[in-house]
């Protein structure tokens, strides 16, 4: 077993209990925004330049795909520039490797559906198990030809149609990736397309499309976009990833003596509901210096911990917090009244089956937990002991249990901790710096 948390090659990391979380923090750029800016920059005219681009392997997969499609990409640390080609990309000449990234595969498919060539999208073992019918159905309706290896599982072969037919599509699952896929394809359609969602999901694609110069109309849960619009390049910084911040926000909230300041944090209201939830649970949070860039809000967040009281998370709130649910479940045993999470069935088809992964790992730390089809029921005020955690190769499981470990008795080992590199390679170093021991 290799134990070394100084580098991303580490396979297992040991986490000791802590007394609190203290310090200041600035996070690498939001993963959802980084993906979208990279893809739209590719089909825009001119060179786009971004500061604080996500450092995660997922966004590196998107950049590699964009490069394989003919765009010149330059990267120096978190500075990225992309020379856009306009709407017509170049045939890649090899399979486009999306790695572990569902966002890359699902959203890029929308752009590939409008190209004049055939492309193949491949991914790692985890991505090759994830359902793609949700994007295949609307793209086929728009005229693209798509074949999957096994029913709807990747690899995907996409033969584009030029132009695509416009579509009026109601997404059967609440998924920002599906909405984004259809909106990106709609740029290549002959008329106006509309996407309607059962529950409003993150709106980064709508904001990014506007920032790159597209006109779109929103009314309640419907978004309409006329095809044939040209995009122009943009420049700007990407605010810190709130889904990465979530680990430290939850950790700080857990300890009465914590005091953490996170600067330049993305505060888009469709993503920032964790702040309201933690406040309602008893944390003290204040938000300062709110700014807006390209339609995205950001600001500084200060959090002090307290005695937390749990609650039920279900319906639209569960959808809005979908990436934060593993860490909320991991801290649930420590809060008064525990936490019940429902309506989160989508967690079963993420990078791992996150419902089972969380339940099994909580039990390894001695917690009582009831696994439900669509979530968990986790009693509060439990004493946990350190345990042997299996990340299941899933970044959010690795990081969630590093936070639970801070409150456990004795050391915890996170096996497969290197999965954190998918969204937040710096995670274990930052945790080391902020944890008070
Ligand atoms: C994302 C949407 C969500 C989320 C994923 C990122 C996005 O997935 O879980 O991490 O950037 O649009 P779904 O669209 O599958 O819900």
């Amino acid at each position: 077993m290799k134990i070394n948390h100084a580098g991303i090659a580490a396979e297992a990391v040991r986490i000791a209990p802590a007394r609190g979380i203290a310090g200041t923090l600035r996070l690498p750029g939001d993963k959802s925004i980084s993906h979208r800016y990279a893809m739209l920059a590719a089909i825009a005219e001119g060179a786009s330049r971004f500061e604080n681009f996500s450092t995660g392997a997922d966004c590196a997969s998107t950049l590699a795909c964009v490069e394989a499609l003919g765009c010149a990409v330059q990267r120096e640390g978190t500075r990225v520039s992309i020379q856009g080609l306009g709407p017509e990309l170049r045939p890649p000449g090899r399979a486009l490797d999306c790695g572990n990234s569902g966002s890359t595969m699902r959203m890029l498919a929308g752009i590939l559906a409008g190209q004049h060539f055939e492309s193949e999208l491949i991914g790692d073992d985890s991505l090759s198990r994830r359902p793609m019918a949700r994007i295949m159905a609307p793209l086929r309706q728009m005229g693209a030809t798509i074949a999957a290896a096994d029913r709807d599982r990747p690899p995907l072969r996409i033969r584009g149609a030029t132009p695509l037919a416009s579509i009026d599509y109601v997404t059967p699952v609440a998924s920002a990736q599906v909405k984004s896929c259809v909106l990106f394809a709609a740029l290549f359609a002959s008329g106006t397309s509309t996407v309607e969602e059962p529950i409003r999901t993150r709106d980064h694609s709508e904001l990014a499309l506007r920032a790159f110069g597209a006109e779109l109309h929103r009314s309640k849960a419907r978004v309409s976009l006329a095809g044939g619009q040209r995009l122009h390049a943009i420049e700007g910084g990407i605010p810190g990833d709130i889904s990465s911040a979530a680990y430290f926000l939850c950790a700080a909230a857990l300890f009465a003596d914590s005091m953490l300041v996170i600067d330049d944090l993305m505060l888009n209201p469709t993503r920032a509901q964790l702040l309201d939830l933690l406040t309602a649970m008893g944390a003290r949070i204040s938000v300062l210096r709110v700014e807006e860039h390209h339609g995205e809000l950001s600001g500084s967040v200060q959090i002090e911990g307290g005695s937390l009281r749990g609650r039920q998370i279900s319906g639209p709130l569960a959808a809005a917090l979908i990436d934060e649910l593993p860490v909320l479940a991991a801290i649930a045993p420590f809060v008064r009244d525990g936490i019940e999470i429902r309506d989160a069935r989508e967690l079963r088809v993420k990078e791992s089956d996150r419902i089972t992964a969380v339940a099994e790992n909580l039990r390894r730390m001695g917690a009582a937990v009831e696994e439900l089809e669509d979530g968990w029921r986790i009693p509060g005020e439990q004493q946990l002991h350190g345990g042997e955690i299996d990340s299941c190769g899933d970044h959010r499981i690795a990081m969630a249990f590093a936070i639970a470990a801070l409150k456990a008795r004795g050391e915890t080992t996170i096996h497969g901790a290197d999965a954190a590199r998918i969204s937040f390679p710096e995670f274990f170093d930052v945790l080391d710096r902020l944890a008070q021991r």
Side-chain angles (χ1 to χ4, degrees), residues 15-244:
I15 308 286
R19 285 183 291 108
I21 289 285
T24 61
L25 177 60
R26 190 179 277 268
L27 292 151
D30 186 70
K31 176 159 94 71
S32 291
I33 297 178
S34 299
H35 281 304
R36 286 157 172 85
Y37 281 5
M39 289 181 205
L40 293 180
I43 54 167
E45 271 140 44
S48 291
R49 288 185 190 84
F50 307 116
E51 307 268 340
N52 202 37
F53 194 85
S54 167
T55 52
D58 268 8
C59 292
S61 295
T62 291
L63 289 180
C65 289
V66 155
E67 203 166 26
L69 288 161
C71 300
V73 174
Q74 280 184 335
R75 175 164 204 167
E76 265 173 57
T78 63
R79 267 198 201 148
V80 168
S81 69
I82 298 171
Q83 183 64 48
L85 291 177
E88 282 182 35
L89 298 172
R90 305 219 177 99
R94 60 181 150 95
L96 296 164
D97 190 351
C98 304
N100 189 245
S101 175
S103 296
T104 307
M105 189 171 285
R106 293 188 179 130
M107 296 197 284
L108 195 58
I111 292 174
L112 296 172
Q115 301 299 316
H116 61 277
F117 50 80
E118 182 173 305
S119 37
E120 187 183 16
L121 290 164
I122 59 171
D124 69 6
D125 288 350
S126 153
L127 184 51
S128 302
R129 286 192 295 268
R130 296 183 67 185
M132 294 294 148
R134 53 187 65 193
I135 55 143
M136 290 164 68
L139 294 179
R140 280 176 176 157
Q141 276 184 45
M142 295 176 85
T145 307
I146 310 190
D150 172 19
R151 288 166 304 129
D152 72 329
R153 306 295 137 130
L156 297 183
R157 278 198 161 275
I158 303 181
R159 173 166 289 286
T162 45
L164 290 167
S166 58
I167 191 171
D168 190 336
Y169 194 66
V170 182
T171 60
V173 278
S175 161
Q177 291 175 357
V178 175
K179 171 177 64 177
S180 305
C181 170
V182 178
L183 287 175
F184 290 178
L187 286 168
F188 301 90
S190 50
T192 294
S193 299
T194 300
V195 192
E196 184 176 328
E197 322 184 75
I199 293 175
R200 284 281 298 271
T201 61
R202 62 191 72 190
D203 65 356
H204 303 301
S205 292
E206 294 91 310
L207 298 177
L209 281 161
R210 278 199 180 132
F212 279 88
E215 254 182 54
L216 53 83
H217 298 282
R218 297 210 265 181
S219 81
K220 300 205 177 107
R222 286 172 73 78
V223 189
S224 303
L225 175 86
Q229 300 188 59
R230 313 283 290 192
L231 305 183
H232 59 68
I234 66 167
E235 292 192 6
I238 298 175
D241 192 323
I242 194 162
S243 297
S244 298

Side-chain angles (χ1 to χ4, degrees), residues 323-334:
D323 293 335
E324 289 70 66
L325 295 179
V327 66
L328 284 164
I331 65 163
F334 306 114

